[in-house]
Amino acid sequence: MNIIQCEELSKSFGRRHALQRITCALDAEKIIGIIGRNGAGKSTLLNIFAGYLKPTNGSCRVFNENPFNNIHTASNMIFIDDQLSFSNYLSLEDILKMGANFYPNWQNELAYRMLDYAGIDLTLKHQQLSKGQSATFNLVYGLVSRCALTILDEPMNGMDEVIRTDFYRAILKEYLAFPRTFLISSHHLQEMETILEEILLIDEGTVIAHAPLDEFKEQLVLLNGPSEALAELLSEMEVYTQKTVTGTTSAIVNARKLFVSEEILRTKGITVSSLTASEVCKYLTSKKGRDIDAIFD
């Protein structure tokens, strides 16, 4: 069942086109990574899903309704980002009590246990927290709400590596305990890809890939072997990056256009290696002809 459906969705801010004709469908009860480089349009898309922004053109439906200023959508969704703040008149404990009054599936005891584990004093005000503590509190708030749609926009910003690792596990454990839809935007894809089921990759305001994690990683492969043996093969393929050192060439290519079997390639001394999801994202969104090494040549 689709929880989100977009058709030809576009969003502009003056002359800047943040999103351009996005069409996608996201299934319920999955952990989905919304991935892209800075400025790709991830946050804009998530804010439209949350009902905070209205599309310029096209349509977006969440729970089969227009989410913009929609009470039904708002009551079944929570949006957590690094801009989230609370009243400076309330302690963290007061904030948790208010959350319990608003969200029907609220897990107050779990919130207390998680924040105690993170060493966060509930007598403090939200504004008194460090950046990492604020991110941790906000993420806990989003998890214990147990909303049908939980949107996490860069939820780990400011957290140190140890606490990030712990809370990726917390997201997965919460998903298994109470299945719902998680949309997670993050720059730490390599850290979190083990919990993702699906990736939606955005580049310059458009969706350039949307697939289950395993299929996503299979889009590109690394070829390595004698330059002479690879030369003819690469001339007929889409090459994302290529390097040659002392007669040996390494190249990242589109796996779907590799029509030669691995067995035949091995007879020519060519090996085929898989990539991580993070590496696939990097090469799919890299601009051809741009290489940081070239700046220093």
Side-chain angles (χ1 to χ4, degrees):
M1 180 185 72
N2 292 338
I3 195 169
I4 297 173
Q5 181 81 45
C6 295
E7 296 288 344
E8 297 290 315
L9 175 68
S10 297
K11 179 62 181 179
S12 299
F13 298 97
R15 295 182 178 180
R16 184 172 73 87
H17 302 296
L19 299 173
Q20 303 180 62
R21 303 182 67 178
I22 286 182
T23 295
C24 64
L26 302 179
D27 292 339
E29 298 189 1
K30 283 186 176 181
I31 303 179
I32 303 171
I34 309 298
I35 308 301
R37 299 193 176 210
N38 287 335
K42 305 185 301 296
S43 292
T44 299
L45 184 62
L46 293 179
N47 273 277
I48 290 174
F49 291 166
Y52 299 156
L53 288 176
K54 186 176 182 180
T56 303
N57 293 298
S59 66
C60 174
R61 299 189 71 79
V62 178
F63 303 118
N64 206 32
E65 296 183 20
N66 181 350
F68 185 66
N69 285 341
N70 186 310
I71 294 177
H72 175 255
T73 300
S75 64
N76 288 280
M77 178 278 305
I78 192 164
F79 182 93
I80 303 294
D81 67 359
D82 58 6
Q83 303 299 313
L84 181 65
S85 61
F86 298 90
S87 170
N88 57 9
Y89 294 103
L90 300 173
S91 69
L92 300 181
E93 188 167 21
D94 292 333
I95 294 170
L96 295 180
K97 290 177 180 177
M98 291 185 65
N101 292 330
F102 186 78
Y103 297 105
N105 295 319
W106 184 266
Q107 300 295 302
N108 210 54
E109 182 59 32
L110 178 61
Y112 276 74
R113 294 201 306 270
M114 293 177 76
L115 293 171
D116 178 66
Y117 175 82
I120 295 178
D121 182 354
L122 295 182
T123 65
L124 295 175
K125 307 292 178 60
H126 194 266
Q127 289 74 15
Q128 294 176 300
L129 301 177
S130 69
K131 184 174 182 180
Q133 289 175 322
S134 177
T136 301
F137 179 84
N138 293 351
L139 178 55
V140 169
Y141 190 90
L143 291 178
V144 303
S145 68
R146 288 191 171 176
C147 289
L149 175 59
T150 300
I151 301 176
L152 307 175
D153 188 7
E154 298 289 352
M156 307 295 182
N157 273 357
M159 294 185 191
D160 60 49
E161 184 177 354
V162 173
I163 201 73
R164 287 202 309 267
T165 300
D166 286 342
F167 275 87
Y168 287 129
R169 292 171 58 195
I171 291 171
L172 181 58
K173 285 179 175 293
E174 255 303 284
Y175 171 73
L176 295 173
F178 192 86
R180 68 265 208 193
T181 305
F182 280 95
L183 304 184
I184 309 176
S185 164
S186 176
H187 288 99
H188 302 289
L189 176 58
Q190 191 167 7
E191 293 180 355
M192 74 171 188
E193 68 176 81
T194 55
I195 72 171
L196 298 179
E197 297 176 71
E198 192 169 297
I199 286 180
L200 182 77
L201 180 61
I202 301 175
D203 189 43
E204 296 185 341
T206 62
V207 173
I208 63 171
H210 181 201
L213 182 66
D214 288 343
E215 291 182 19
F216 182 84
K217 292 193 292 187
E218 291 171 356
Q219 291 185 69
L220 304 181
V221 292
L222 169 65
L223 300 181
N224 189 79
S227 300
E228 186 176 345
L230 273 172
E232 183 177 353
L233 180 65
L234 295 180
S235 68
E236 301 173 351
M237 298 196 66
E238 186 176 2
V239 180
Y240 288 83
T241 186
Q242 178 179 340
K243 290 186 179 181
T244 299
V245 179
T246 61
T248 299
T249 294
S250 297
I252 306 293
V253 302
N254 187 333
R256 295 171 181 173
K257 296 183 179 179
L258 181 61
F259 301 117
V260 183
S261 71
E262 289 191 35
E263 184 178 349
I264 292 176
L265 291 174
R266 279 196 297 271
T267 64
K268 299 180 179 181
I270 300 170
T271 60
V272 181
S273 305
S274 59
L275 303 177
T276 66
S278 182
E279 289 171 327
V280 172
C281 286
K282 171 186 173 181
Y283 292 113
L284 286 179
T285 59
S286 293
K287 303 299 177 285
K288 292 185 177 179
R290 297 185 67 182
D291 188 336
I292 192 66
D293 293 334
I295 295 173
F296 300 94
D297 291 342

